[in-house]
C-alpha cells in the first residue's frame, strides 16, 4: 500500500524493544543522532519524524512547561494568603528542589532513566512536601499565638507533628513499593513516577524535619 500524510507519501517504521527493562530515550537518541543522518544524506526530499509514544511525550513535555509554573504560582499565592508571610511561604517552597533531588537519586539507585512520567511524579511530590511543611509551620504559628517563645514553639511543633509527617511518608512510600518492585511490562511505564514520589518524599521529609525548623529559627 502507498499511504499519504499531508499530501506526502509516508513510510512508517515501527519497532518494540526486545528487553522490557531497557530505556527507550537513549535508543531514540541514538537513532536520531547516528542512524537517521546517514540515511537522509543518501536521499532527497525525505524528512523523518518520531510519532506514537515519542510524539505524545513531547506534547506532554511542552504542556507541563507551561502548566507547572502556573501550578506552583497558584500554590505559592494560596500559602501566602494563609500564612500572610512571604518568608514562611518561601521556606516551604524551598523544600521542593530538595525533594526533586531525592527523586533523581532514587532513579539512580533503581537504575531507571528519567522520563516524562518521572516529572509527573515530581509534580505530585511537590504537593505532598508542601502539605507536610504547611502542617509544621501552622503548628509553630499556633504555638506562637499562645504566647510561647520562638524556640519553644518550634520545638513543641516538631514533637507534635513528627508522628503525622513520618506516618504520611512511610505509608506513601510503602504503598508504592510493590509498584516499584513490579517486573511486568505493563508496570514499567508507571515505575518512574512511583520512584519519584517514594524516594523524593522519603529524602525530602528527612531534610524537612531538619531544615524547616532551623530556617524558621534563623528568620
Amino acid at each position: 500500500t502507498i499511504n499519504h500524510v499531508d499530501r506526502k507519501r509516508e513510510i512508517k517504521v515501527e519497532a518494540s524493544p526486545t528487553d522490557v527493562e531497557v530505556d527507550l530515550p537513549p535508543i531514540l537518541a541514538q537513532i536520531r543522532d547516528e542512524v537517521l543522518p546517514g540515511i537522509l544524506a543518501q536521499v532527497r526530499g525525505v524528512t523523518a519524524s518520531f510519532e506514537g509514544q515519542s510524539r505524545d511525550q513531547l506534547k506532554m513535555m511542552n504542556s507541563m512547561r507551561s502548566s507547572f509554573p502556573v501550578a506552583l504560582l497558584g500554590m505559592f499565592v494560596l500559602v501566602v494568603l494563609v500564612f500572610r508571610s512571604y518568608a514562611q511561604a518561601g521556606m516551604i517552597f524551598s523544600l521542593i528542589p530538595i525533594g526533586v533531588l531525592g527523586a533523581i537519586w532514587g532513579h539512580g539507585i533503581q537504575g531507571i532513566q528519567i522520563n516524562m512520567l518521572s516529572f509527573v511524579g515530581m509534580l505530585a511530590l511537590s504537593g505532598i512536601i508542601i502539605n507536610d511543611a504547611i502542617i509544621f509551620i501552622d503548628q509553630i504559628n499556633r504555638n506562637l499565638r499562645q504566647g510561647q517563645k520562638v524556640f519553644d514553639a518550634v520545638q513543641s511543633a516538631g514533637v507534635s507533628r513528627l508522628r503525622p509527617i513520618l506516618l504520611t511518608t512511610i505509608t506513601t512510600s510503602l504503598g508504592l513499593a510493590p509498584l516499584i518492585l513490579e517486573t511486568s511490562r505493563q508496570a514499567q511505564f508507571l515505575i518512574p513516577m512511583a520512584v519519584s514520589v517514594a524516594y523524593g518524599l522519603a529524602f525530602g521529609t528527612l531534610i524537612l524535619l531538619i531544615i524547616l525548623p532551623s530556617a524558621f529559627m534563623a528568620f
Side-chain angles (χ1 to χ4, degrees), residues 40-58:
L40 296 179
Q42 302 175 25
V43 293
R44 292 183 179 181
V46 177
T47 59
S49 64
F50 287 83
E51 304 294 329
Q53 183 179 353
S54 300
R55 184 180 181 182
D56 293 339
Q57 288 185 354
L58 182 61

Side-chain angles (χ1 to χ4, degrees), residues 30-211:
Q30 183 179 8
I31 294 175
R32 185 184 298 109
D33 300 334
E34 301 178 12
V35 179
L36 279 179
I39 297 175
L40 296 179
Q42 302 175 25
V43 293
R44 292 183 179 181
V46 177
T47 59
S49 64
F50 287 83
E51 304 294 329
Q53 183 179 353
S54 300
R55 184 180 181 182
D56 293 339
Q57 288 185 354
L58 182 61
K59 290 174 61 178
M60 192 173 182
M61 176 73 75
N62 294 332
S63 177
M64 286 193 64
R65 286 176 180 174
S66 59
S67 61
F68 186 64
V70 174
L72 286 181
L73 179 61
M75 289 189 290
F76 184 82
V77 171
L78 288 176
V79 173
V80 170
L81 292 177
V82 170
F83 292 116
R84 299 179 182 178
S85 170
Y86 287 101
Q88 292 184 6
M91 283 188 289
I92 293 173
F93 275 77
S94 66
L95 298 170
I96 294 178
I98 298 174
V100 172
L101 180 61
I104 296 174
W105 284 352
H107 281 75
I109 294 173
Q110 294 293 135
I112 299 174
Q113 180 82 15
I114 295 177
N115 58 23
M116 196 62 240
L117 286 178
S118 302
F119 290 106
V120 175
M122 292 177 190
L123 179 60
L125 168 68
S126 301
I128 299 174
I129 290 181
I130 289 174
N131 287 340
D132 289 344
I134 288 176
I135 292 174
F136 204 127
I137 294 293
D138 180 66
Q139 186 61 44
I140 295 176
N141 291 332
R142 290 186 181 186
N143 294 341
L144 290 174
R145 286 194 294 267
Q146 294 176 0
Q148 296 184 18
K149 296 182 179 180
V150 176
F151 180 83
D152 296 332
V154 173
Q155 184 183 37
S156 60
V159 173
S160 63
R161 292 306 181 211
L162 177 64
R163 180 180 296 176
I165 291 176
L166 285 181
L167 283 177
T168 300
T169 300
I170 294 173
T171 53
T172 303
S173 299
L174 291 180
L176 292 172
L179 177 58
I180 295 175
L181 299 176
E182 182 62 48
T183 58
S184 65
R185 183 172 184 175
Q186 291 79 3
Q188 301 305 310
F189 299 100
L190 297 176
I191 288 178
M193 182 171 59
V195 169
S196 293
V197 176
Y199 280 89
L201 185 58
F203 180 76
T205 299
L206 294 177
I207 300 299
L208 178 151
L209 294 172
I210 299 173
I211 289 184

